[in-house]
Amino acid sequence: MSDSLQPTYDELLARVNELSQSFKEFLTEKKIPLPTFEADSVTRYDGLTAEMFVKRQHLLDSLADLHYLVQGPSESIFNYAHNCMPDVAALDILNQFKFWSAVPLAGTATYADIAKQVNLPEEAVRRVLDHAKTLRIFADAEAGNPDAGVRHSSRSAALAQSPGLQSLVSTIVSDAGPPMTVVPQALAKFSRGKTSLPSGLDQTAFNLFHNGKYANSWDYIENDGEGEEKGWRSRNFTTFMTYLKDIFQLEAIVEGCYDWDAAGDISVVDLGGSAGHDAFVLAKKHPNLTITVQDLPKVQSVFEASVPEELKSRVSFISHDFFKPQPVQADLYLIKMILHDWPDAECISILQALRPSLKPGARIVLIEYVGKHDPVVEEGPQDGAWDSKEGSDVTKTKEPPLPRSIQQMGTSTDLRMLALFSTKERVPSAWKAVISAADERFEIAKFETNPFSFFVIIEVVWRG
Ligand SMILES: C[S@@+](CC[C@H](N)C(=O)[O-])C[C@H]1O[C@@H](n2cnc3c(N)ncnc32)[C@H](O)[C@@H]1O
């Protein structure tokens, strides 16, 4: 099997055949059911090993390549340009107007029924669903009779059954999507002719799109909406974060990032801890921990509604802006998936704002998203397609080992970060520079990452 960077049609056919067979054999052996397009299908593969996950992603890369070659280069671009915005608009409409619950999971609905439920003209409902059905989101109630109404497909049923998946669509498409459409204009306005990108939050696509109305994306999420609706995006975001915890199995990362049992009776601050999903898991497993969750004010009501009765004496919430001096003296500060949202200057301010409450030996445990990895460089003369010359030494930068479909998790987040915060997904080594720049008394005691993980874990000790 060729590992060529530019595989031919025949190589792809063989590769798809081989990988899809091996994927199916794995599923059969592990008794993992195959999804179908029917509404009662399983919605995900539970039980993939890490190795099989990566193999499956290689299969997806080959299928994507075949999809491009079958269309041909020009048509593949034509089709993509033609469809991508309507695809996104249809998904956003179905999600925002709650089409998922307007059709029964085990039945059918007429267009008139749906129009009534979602409070839109029947014509709009039909037109959106006509496009969605081409994406296998919903299906005709009767094959060949588009007037008979619609039923769920497995893809729409997956959304109907998962508030977490709905919140993901809402956050990524509805909150972050519109600013992404003006990234070209933002680049033209703030970066054309310059040698580096701006680092100010006032020079983002987000800022351009909202015309300066909100300081940043968090301000928008916190304050969009009127009356009781205000803060709905923030409440939705807490569901999104809980969903991410579940699908990426982040509980294991939080559990493994520190020896919680050996720490004894300690106080922990979960900075930007959302509505407490990580704190609840930690506190349940470790009765020695007392945890203060800190986040923006609109998150508090979700925390209060979800904190388990038995944890109330050990897990509490205070609203705290992490750019302001830290009010709680704790033994350990957990900072998970916070700093990657911010440019270097803001990351440094967030870390420095902890200092007033840090006692000598206090720990900061950072769990940060890594969208890209440092290139692997082998010293010495090498042959190969990725050779580059540095001075007189020949070095070989290896091809990144990750399938493109995994790299996209990082590259997409990276562009989203550019649009919203004028920041970028850092490679693991860049985190060391940010921490050192915040204060030389932050000593890095542990630094863990690997190319197949989306996360870096950094334990910092305050030597003040
Ligand atoms: C990407 S989420 C991470 C949440 C949680 N730590 C986790 O890993 O699931 C970022 C969190 O930072 C919070 N946040 C944003 N700006 C903040 C600020 N200035 N002060 C405190 N929290 C803030 C958001 O409300 C959100 O809950």
Side-chain angles (χ1 to χ4, degrees), residues 218 237 241 272-274 277-278 295-296 299 320-323 336-338 341-342:
W218 297 115
F237 193 86
M241 281 290 114
S274 193
H277 51 262
D278 290 323
D295 209 292
L296 294 169
V299 176
H320 167 63
D321 174 354
F322 48 47
F323 289 102
K336 174 166 158 273
M337 288 166 74
I338 298 296
D341 285 332
W342 298 95

